Amino acid sequence: MVPKKYLYAAISGIVIVAVVIAVTQFVLPMTTSNQVAFLDFSYDEENSDLKSKLALYHINMTNPIRLSSAADVKQYCDFINDPKKQALVTYCTSTVLKDQQGTLGDIDMVGSPDVPGLVVVALELDPTMSDYANLKTVFGVVLNSTICQCWSSQNPGGYATLSDMIDAQRTFHLNGKQSDSTTHTVALGNKHFEIELTTNDGGYLWKLLVAK
């Protein structure tokens, strides 16, 4: 069971609110030069795009907190299971999402100071999943923005819509006996993503991970 969520810490006089998530087993692609396969957008560009797009659905996204010191990156940006790959992470941004019910979760981007290599969306839902519709909205906006608006032409995993995939995962998880479940790696466009679901003391932690 993952302990209930929000971690508060003062960083250079700024308070950061971040969902505590376990180190992911997600496969982070590497180039032939043993570097992270970086995504094709900048931190500022993508954070700005996501903020404006989510606002259309009445979901507020804070301006990003930027973390670049070795100590901060180690404490707040440690998302990759492979220590060699994690060592290549030298920068990350973190933003908080809020809807009408309160804090929904956060979006973190990690990589080099110039370009991210991994996007991590972590949303905490209560035991009744009362924010389930907004979870689908956030995941849809992030996939459309960070990968492509091409789901209907590719039907990843054999699902006609992202909503169908999320519904299937929820049903599988609730009917299973394990505290966590995952879609494993799903190809979409020229990138890939994974959705993870974990039962914890506060309800359910959903994670969406996007990489090259």
Side-chain angles (χ1 to χ4, degrees), residues 153-195:
S153 64
Q154 298 188 20
N155 295 330
Y159 293 97
T161 65
L162 171 62
S163 179
D164 290 343
M165 176 181 282
I166 293 173
D167 286 341
Q169 184 165 2
R170 180 181 68 166
T171 299
F172 174 82
H173 185 82
L174 295 179
N175 290 338
K177 297 181 180 180
Q178 302 297 319
S179 61
D180 53 74
S181 58
T182 177
T183 60
H184 298 296
T185 301
V186 181
L188 179 63
N190 63 345
K191 302 184 182 77
H192 66 281
F193 70 91
E194 179 173 304
I195 299 175

Side-chain angles (χ1 to χ4, degrees), residues 52-187:
S52 61
K53 291 171 182 175
L54 288 170
L56 299 175
Y57 299 93
H58 307 291
I59 297 173
N60 179 62
M61 177 176 164
T62 63
N63 292 326
I65 299 293
R66 306 171 193 280
L67 305 169
S68 57
S69 74
D72 287 343
V73 168
K74 182 177 180 180
Q75 183 170 1
Y76 300 106
C77 314
D78 187 11
F79 299 126
I80 303 168
N81 188 54
D82 186 331
K84 292 183 179 180
K85 294 181 180 180
Q86 177 61 39
L88 298 173
V89 174
T90 57
Y91 185 89
C92 74
T93 62
S94 182
T95 59
V96 178
L97 303 180
K98 295 183 179 181
D99 62 10
Q100 294 180 344
Q101 297 192 54
T103 301
L104 182 60
D106 63 21
I107 300 177
D108 298 293
M109 300 183 193
V110 306
S112 75
D114 298 318
V115 188
L118 174 67
V119 177
V120 182
V121 184
L123 306 181
E124 179 90 11
L125 270 60
D126 62 33
T128 65
M129 294 199 194
S130 57
D131 257 340
Y132 190 58
N134 275 347
L135 174 132
K136 289 184 175 182
T137 296
V138 172
F139 281 12
V141 168
V142 171
L143 285 180
N144 284 339
S145 184
T146 60
I147 300 183
C148 62
Q149 298 183 40
C150 55
W151 189 288
S152 60
S153 64
Q154 298 188 20
N155 295 330
Y159 293 97
T161 65
L162 171 62
S163 179
D164 290 343
M165 176 181 282
I166 293 173
D167 286 341
Q169 184 165 2
R170 180 181 68 166
T171 299
F172 174 82
H173 185 82
L174 295 179
N175 290 338
K177 297 181 180 180
Q178 302 297 319
S179 61
D180 53 74
S181 58
T182 177
T183 60
H184 298 296
T185 301
V186 181

